[in-house]
Amino acid sequence: MLQVHEEGRAVVSSGSREKMEHDTSRLHAYGLWATYQQDA
Amino acid sequence: MRPFRRRGGDVVARLDPAEAHVLGLLLDQLDQLLAADPDDVDGDPVMARLLPAGHRSDPELAADYRELTEAALRSGKTDDLAAVRATLPVDGGQLRLDPEQAGSWLRTTNDLRLALGERIGVTEDTEPPEDPAGEEGQQLAVYYWLTALQGSLVDAVAAGRDARR
């Protein structure tokens, strides 16, 4: 939370695309501004 | 307003008639937004904040994600809103919420703050209004009131969790 506050973003989860879509949607349900992306 | 506090497994608060009325109006506005035809509210920054894109840089993945999740996100918000409306005393008075209802209130008051905050341009540098009676001051005053309401609800719910440990 502090990292988000100071840097504007933080990685909170990683895994398969399906799991990331699920996690992102859980965060959206709580009004959090989450996105997922593939690591290079 | 008498802020939220615990009573047994529930949380209780008391709203003035004017507060209950304002909250009812905000719920109406959120309800209209959520029920609107997506094409009509396309590009509305408030909708973009309530139903955010899932992928940062790839529009195709973001569209896939939206197709998969938006209906559930939208209906979840609509259900929460209905639960808040069902427990809100329209002319003010005491309200009492069980844990599930408290969850709906937490999520809906958050949506209301996001929507109002986006609309009136609240940022982390925003300060309470100098003139709460002016047109801009009124909306900002409502925002701060929502923040206080939600804050007391978070505290009351968290106190219950600590007590059960």
Side-chain angles (χ1 to χ4, degrees):
Chain A
M1 279 299 174
L2 186 63
Q3 194 184 346
V4 170
H5 185 72
E6 289 172 348
E7 297 171 28
R9 57 196 287 195
V11 176
V12 295
S13 184
S14 64
S16 69
R17 177 177 161 193
E18 241 175 22
K19 179 166 181 297
M20 288 311 96
E21 287 175 344
H22 175 75
D23 287 356
T24 304
S25 134
R26 297 267 302 183
L27 292 169
H28 285 177
Y30 280 91
L32 291 165
W33 217 340
T35 58
Y36 66 93
Q37 62 184 42
Q38 188 168 15
D39 284 343
Chain B
M1 168 172 75
R2 194 188 296 163
F4 279 102
R5 61 196 187 286
R6 298 207 60 77
R7 185 168 297 166
D10 297 346
V11 292
V12 294
R14 179 173 287 277
L15 297 180
D16 295 339
E19 293 171 327
H21 183 64
V22 168
L23 194 49
L25 289 177
L26 292 172
L27 292 174
D28 290 345
Q29 290 172 12
L30 182 60
D31 207 6
Q32 281 171 12
L33 265 183
L34 290 173
D37 187 320
D39 290 339
D40 290 343
V41 289
D42 192 31
D44 181 342
V46 170
M47 285 313 282
R49 187 62 192 84
L50 292 175
L51 307 169
H55 201 280
R56 185 185 293 271
S57 54
D58 186 328
E60 204 170 307
L61 282 176
D64 280 357
Y65 172 84
R66 190 168 287 283
E67 197 169 312
L68 280 170
T69 62
E70 182 170 318
L73 189 57
R74 204 182 270 269
S75 67
K77 287 183 190 297
T78 306
D79 292 349
D80 282 330
L81 196 149
V84 170
R85 214 191 273 287
T87 46
L88 173 69
V90 281
D91 295 316
Q94 175 164 289
L95 62 111
R96 183 180 189 120
L97 308 174
D98 66 27
E100 196 181 327
Q101 292 164 335
S104 291
W105 272 73
L106 281 172
R107 290 186 291 271
T108 297
T109 50
N110 204 44
D111 283 346
L112 293 177
R113 286 181 64 228
L114 290 174
L116 186 59
E118 183 71 42
R119 207 59 103 201
I120 63 179
V122 169
T123 70
E124 61 187 88
D125 298 325
T126 301
E127 306 217 355
E130 285 175 19
D131 174 18
E135 198 176 324
E136 261 181 47
Q138 272 184 10
Q139 291 188 314
L140 198 52
V142 169
Y143 182 86
Y144 276 94
W145 176 82
L146 272 173
T147 305
L149 179 76
Q150 192 189 31
S152 76
L153 180 53
V154 168
D155 287 344
V157 168
R161 292 203 173 151
D162 289 345
R164 279 201 299 276
R165 258 179 215 150

